[in-house]
């Protein structure tokens, strides 16, 4: 399944990057044949040698034997569309004082925000080549225009940064994006690099090393890790893929929050009840929330009704199959926006978990 996932990251690209025999990266031409491409990716996973076809910027082509295949994918592809978005959180050991003190914490914060947005099904997290940093990938449901990919990624990263600021301000929690020089900025080289980086793409896109490279495994590089707890040895059961409804919802709402990108209509677009490209039974648990549940998640519930709204919202989402972790992140965000403490949210959420378990037990 790892090979299938790496092939999905490469998409239909004609070229990729690979590490040359002298240790420098270079652009290679990928084979058109599906079987040959799969064999090349398998060599990447095994860290085996191969003869690769490199191409220079002047279209000079030559063949070179590399001691171990280590591939990188471009974002976006040659057609200008993104198959994935990613954040490279670098560690201080390889980037000096500009690197993050705790890349694992930063990766977890990014993953939590993607889960909160309903995009957890597309997450893939791996250690960087040196083993200390993290690459957080999100495989998109379909080829996405570069501008949408930039907006969606920026919204996830900005949300993670806001939560990190709040956590550091509320208590003795270190900022997730701290460096020896202070808090890193989004997009800062050697700290928090975004892929894609802007709507003005370079000639071939921005390359990022694919996970699973066998050549880096001995030093802990390229290992798949759990998206939330950061523990290694993750086994993929399917190719990760973000939910189409929640991805398009996320991009739309991110654009709506940008002043120059607000919809012309003053009428608020209701994503929970309006998704013409998906039937109602595929809109996910959020579609079953009533007005009280929506008001709670949007931070509009007043004191005195917050605990009941938190309990009701969690019961609805859990009862319609949303994972407990995702529900907790949603109600925690809504509770904070409504002024609830973390302990209040935890009590209401725990009660909802027990209530749903009892209800399912009766039905069973």
């Amino acid at each position: 399944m790892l090979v299938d996932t790496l092939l999905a990251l490469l998409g239909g690209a004609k070229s990729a990057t690979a590490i040359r025999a002298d240790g420098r990266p270079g652009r290679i031409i990928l084979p058109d044949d599906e079987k040959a491409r799969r064999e090349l990716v398998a060599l990447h996973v095994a860290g085996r040698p191969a003869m690769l076809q490199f191409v220079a910027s002047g279209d000079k082509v030559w063949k070179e034997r590399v001691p171990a295949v280590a591939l990188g994918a471009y974002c976006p592809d040659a057609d200008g569309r993104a198959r994935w978005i990613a954040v490279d959180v670098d560690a201080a050991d390889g980037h000096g004082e500009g690197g993050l003190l705790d890349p694992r914490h930063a990766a977890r914060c990014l993953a939590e925000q993607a889960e909160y947005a309903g995009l957890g099904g597309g997450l893939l997290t791996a250690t960087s080549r040196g083993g200390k940093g993290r690459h957080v990938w999100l495989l998109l449901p379909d080829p996405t225009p570069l501008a949408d990919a930039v907006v969606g990624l920026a919204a996830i990263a900005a949300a993670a940064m806001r939560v990190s600021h709040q956590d550091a301000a509320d208590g003795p929690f270190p900022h997730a994006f701290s460096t020896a020089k202070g808090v890193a900025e989004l997009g800062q080289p050697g700290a928090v690099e975004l892929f894609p980086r802007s709507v003005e793409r370079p000639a071939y896109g921005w390359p990022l090393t694919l996970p699973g490279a066998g050549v880096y495994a001995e030093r802990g590089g390229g290992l798949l890790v759990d998206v939330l707890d950061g523990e290694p040895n993750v086994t993929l059961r399917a190719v990760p893929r973000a939910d189409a409804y929640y991805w398009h919802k996320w991009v739309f709402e991110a654009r709506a929050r940008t002043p120059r990108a607000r919809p012309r209509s003053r009428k608020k677009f209701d994503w929970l009840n309006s998704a013409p490209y998906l039937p109602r039974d595929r809109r996910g648990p959020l579609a079953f929330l009533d007005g009280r549940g929506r008001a709670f998640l949007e931070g509009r519930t007043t004191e005195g009704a917050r605990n009941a709204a938190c309990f009701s919202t969690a019961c609805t989402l859990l009862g319609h199959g949303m994972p407990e972790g995702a529900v907790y992140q949603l109600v925690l965000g809504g509770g904070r926006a409504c002024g609830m403490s973390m302990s209040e949210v935890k009590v209401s959420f725990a009660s909802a978990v027990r209530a749903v378990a009892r209800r399912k037990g009766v039905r069973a």
Side-chain angles (χ1 to χ4, degrees), residues 97 144 147 150 295 298 321 331 345:
E97 294 183 343
T144 299
V150 169
E298 293 172 2
V331 297
V345 174

Side-chain angles (χ1 to χ4, degrees), residues 96-290:
E97 294 183 343
L100 298 185
L101 299 178
D102 191 355
R104 179 170 169 169
H105 185 192
R108 182 171 59 251
C109 190
L110 290 161
E112 286 175 351
Q113 294 311 304
E115 291 274 6
Y116 175 85
L119 303 173
L123 282 171
L124 181 72
T125 305
T127 56
S128 59
R129 288 186 292 179
K132 301 296 184 182
R134 294 288 187 273
H135 293 171
V136 182
W137 305 74
L138 181 70
L139 281 76
L140 303 180
D142 44 50
T144 299
L146 178 57
D148 286 352
V150 169
V151 169
L153 175 60
I156 292 173
M161 184 65 76
R162 285 195 299 271
V163 170
S164 299
H165 283 314
Q166 190 64 50
D167 286 344
D170 286 348
F173 303 104
H175 198 290
F177 298 93
S178 294
T179 72
K181 295 182 177 181
V183 177
E185 296 181 359
L186 296 178
Q188 180 176 318
V192 190
E193 297 186 68
L194 307 180
F195 298 82
R197 298 176 184 171
S198 77
V199 293
E200 297 181 3
R201 55 170 290 186
Y204 305 107
W206 294 275
L208 183 61
T209 304
L210 289 176
V215 67
Y216 306 126
E218 286 188 4
R219 55 187 179 187
L223 300 179
L224 297 185
V225 297
D226 187 271
V227 294
L228 294 180
D229 65 26
E231 293 299 320
N233 301 322
V234 169
T235 300
L236 293 175
R237 293 182 173 83
V239 176
R241 191 72 66 186
D243 183 89
Y245 168 68
Y246 288 112
W247 167 249
H248 293 293
K249 172 181 181 291
W250 180 254
V251 172
F252 180 91
E253 292 181 342
R255 286 191 178 279
R257 290 192 296 269
T258 304
R260 286 181 295 180
R262 290 188 182 278
R264 293 181 180 179
S265 173
R266 294 185 178 181
K267 182 178 179 181
K268 185 176 180 181
F269 190 79
D270 187 355
W271 271 100
L272 296 180
N273 290 321
S274 302
Y277 50 91
L278 286 178
R280 182 170 181 82
D281 60 357
R282 290 183 58 198
R283 293 182 198 171
L286 284 171
F288 296 91
L289 287 177
D290 57 13

Side-chain angles (χ1 to χ4, degrees), residues 3-4 6-16 28-45 52 69 71 73 77 83 210:
V3 172
D4 291 328
L6 300 185
L7 287 170
L9 289 172
L10 289 172
K14 300 294 184 182
S15 62
I28 66 168
I29 298 175
L30 290 172
D32 293 327
D33 179 67
E34 183 178 349
K35 181 180 178 181
R37 186 175 292 214
R38 178 175 288 273
E39 290 174 351
L40 178 62
V41 171
L43 291 174
H44 164 89
V45 173
L52 302 179
V69 175
L71 300 174
D77 281 355
R83 270 67 178 174
L210 289 176

Side-chain angles (χ1 to χ4, degrees), residues 43-65:
L43 291 174
H44 164 89
V45 173
R48 302 278 300 279
M51 185 71 72
L52 302 179
Q53 190 173 9
F54 286 88
V55 55
S57 57
D59 293 331
K60 176 186 176 182
V61 178
W62 75 96
K63 290 186 177 181
E64 182 177 320
R65 185 173 180 82

Side-chain angles (χ1 to χ4, degrees), residues 74-98:
Y74 283 114
C75 180
D77 281 355
D79 62 2
R81 293 178 174 268
R83 270 67 178 174
W84 52 267
I85 57 178
V87 182
D88 179 6
V89 284
D90 293 310
D93 65 332
H95 296 272
E97 294 183 343

